[in-house]
Amino acid sequence: MPAERPDSLGGDQELWALAAGGDVAAFGELFDRHVAGVWNYAYRLTGSWATAEDLASLTFLTAWRRVGEVTLVNDSARPWLYTVTANLARREQRRLGRFAAVLTRLPRNPVVRDHAEDVAGQVDADRRLKAVLDAVAKLPRAERRAVELCLLGGLSNGEAAAVLGIAEPSVRARISRARTRLRELLRDTGVLAGGDF
């Protein structure tokens, strides 16, 4: 994924208005600015590179379809894009849950896989991310949304406050409580060795 681009061609609000008027290049600039952040956020929510790619594509498809209906907050498209991504990720997780339920009813044939050593690091990283995502899912809804937007999504407390419709100090308090809970939930998993929370 490319690095996020600076706001060299005007603010997001200006580009959004141009895109709403049919300016494909303006929408392309918005895409270029935010695709890396949206993809990273989707990956942190799902733990899957392929799913993150799909969710990033669907997020921008949704943005293109709704560009004329949406008003941006604080001249940034990122909070709205992250909200769409989170909603799509939840829908995908529900779909996968239904699929997994069907799979449990199928007869199992044991398969022995030979894993190469270069895959071991990725497997460990995926395990750690899964443990974190499982712990985040156990948080109360208000804390979970703040964590998804700020810690996983990289939004500022102010941006998250705008998305959630609450005061910025409330976001900070939710993040603080969530960090305490996450440390407790992840204490025995080995995930906290890097001091993530």
Side-chain angles (χ1 to χ4, degrees):
M1 283 287 142
E4 291 201 32
R5 294 174 53 172
D7 295 341
S8 58
L9 301 176
D12 285 358
Q13 209 164 36
E14 178 185 342
L15 290 171
W16 196 272
L18 291 170
D23 187 336
V24 175
F27 188 81
E29 175 63 22
L30 285 167
F31 176 86
D32 289 343
R33 282 183 187 176
H34 297 291
V35 68
V38 168
W39 184 92
N40 284 321
Y41 182 52
Y43 177 71
R44 289 181 185 120
L45 290 176
T46 64
S48 166
W49 289 28
T51 303
E53 189 73 30
D54 291 343
L55 291 178
S57 297
L58 286 171
T59 296
F60 283 99
L61 178 61
T62 301
W64 178 248
R65 288 180 176 161
R66 300 200 51 211
V67 71
E69 305 167 17
V70 174
T71 302
L72 297 183
V73 176
N74 297 331
D75 193 37
S76 176
R78 198 164 64 153
W80 185 82
L81 291 169
Y82 280 19
T83 299
V84 171
T85 303
N87 290 336
L88 290 169
R90 280 190 285 280
R91 186 184 322 157
E92 178 66 7
Q93 288 167 344
R94 284 191 302 270
R95 185 190 70 78
L96 290 175
R98 290 189 299 270
F99 181 70
V102 169
L103 287 180
T104 61
R105 291 181 264 163
L106 297 175
R108 294 185 179 205
N109 294 326
V111 176
V112 178
R113 295 181 57 167
D114 181 23
H115 295 282
E117 285 190 34
D118 59 336
V119 176
Q122 182 62 42
V123 169
D124 185 53
D126 289 346
R127 179 196 61 79
R128 291 169 56 99
L129 181 59
K130 175 88 170 92
V132 170
L133 293 176
D134 288 345
V136 169
K138 293 176 184 174
L139 293 174
R141 185 178 193 281
E143 292 175 18
R144 185 179 68 243
R145 287 292 290 139
V147 166
E148 288 173 349
L149 293 171
C150 295
L151 298 182
L152 298 178
L155 289 184
S156 70
N157 290 341
E159 290 170 325
V163 169
L164 297 172
I166 60 174
E168 190 172 337
S170 297
V171 173
R172 284 194 299 271
R174 289 177 183 185
I175 294 292
S176 178
R177 287 191 304 269
R179 282 187 165 133
T180 300
R181 290 182 208 268
L182 288 170
R183 282 187 202 104
E184 182 63 28
L185 289 167
L186 296 170
R187 182 174 20 129
D188 298 328
T189 64
V191 170
L192 295 178
D196 295 350
F197 296 102

